[in-house]
Amino acid sequence: MDQEEVWAFTVAMYGRDGVAKLCLDLQERCDLDVNMLLFMFFLGQKGLAPLSISALEASVRDWRENVIKPLRQTRRYLRDDPRASAQELRWKVKSDELQAERIEQHILCEAVETVPSDDPMAAAHAYLSPNRFALDQQACDKALGDLTRMMGIA
């Protein structure tokens, strides 16, 4: 899997109007891994699906829990600190968090085993589901519908 192509897709999709806000809302509401969701969309656009989403989740779990989440927590903590030095540190932490997210994508690219899929939404539907998150099916379907519309993909 081409890591640079995955990163370019992620940056492009995340930058579309409304996508970041909705993804971050899902992250806050149910601890959704935004990187994983966008990776699922990428696979779908390539006519692929992961053989095992659970295996992918396991491949990044330690990195996410021990690197990404603590960086995110630190960045959020610093957000309300009025000191210029704290804000300078916050921007550095934000940059490190972004780099950690990129490394997570590299882990996903190395770990993924794919199968062909005729449904470009199959992987995203399988990931963002009531089986994985504390959301009902209607909320999952609405979020996926909104994301596909905002990203301009089908």
Side-chain angles (χ1 to χ4, degrees):
M1 182 99 12
D2 183 337
Q3 296 171 356
E4 294 307 314
E5 184 181 8
V6 173
W7 184 249
F9 175 87
T10 298
V11 170
M13 294 301 110
Y14 194 77
R16 302 247 173 123
D17 285 343
V19 172
K21 183 179 182 326
L22 180 51
C23 285
L24 293 175
D25 178 56
L26 292 168
Q27 180 178 277
E28 287 299 311
R29 283 180 29 207
C30 58
D31 199 32
L32 174 131
D33 184 339
V34 174
N35 243 345
M36 182 74 71
L37 180 60
L38 293 173
F39 189 66
M40 294 299 118
F41 278 114
F42 174 82
L43 291 175
Q45 294 306 293
K46 294 294 180 182
L48 301 169
L51 185 62
S52 170
I53 293 174
S54 296
L56 280 177
E57 289 173 317
S59 76
V60 297
R61 184 172 293 117
D62 286 344
W63 183 257
R64 186 171 180 244
E65 294 299 319
N66 295 300
V67 178
I68 293 173
K69 284 185 174 183
L71 286 168
R72 183 178 301 135
Q73 181 179 355
T74 300
R75 177 182 49 80
R76 288 177 178 169
Y77 177 81
L78 292 167
R79 180 176 30 216
D80 296 326
D81 192 312
R83 292 174 289 189
S85 59
Q87 292 309 305
E88 183 179 324
L89 177 59
R90 180 173 157 259
W91 284 105
K92 289 177 184 176
V93 171
K94 185 176 182 176
S95 176
D96 289 345
E97 182 184 358
L98 185 61
Q99 182 61 30
E101 296 274 6
R102 192 168 187 169
I103 292 169
E104 178 185 346
Q105 281 199 348
H106 291 180
I107 296 167
L108 290 170
C109 288
E110 292 168 359
V112 70
E113 294 180 50
T114 60
V115 294
S117 175
D118 293 334
D119 180 357
M121 293 301 297
H125 273 286
Y127 179 65
L128 182 53
S129 73
N131 298 333
R132 286 197 154 67
F133 301 103
L135 297 171
D136 62 27
Q137 189 64 56
Q138 183 178 2
C140 291
D141 291 344
K142 179 177 181 345
L144 287 168
D146 289 347
L147 285 169
T148 55
R149 181 182 47 74
M150 287 183 245
M151 291 190 284
I153 62 176

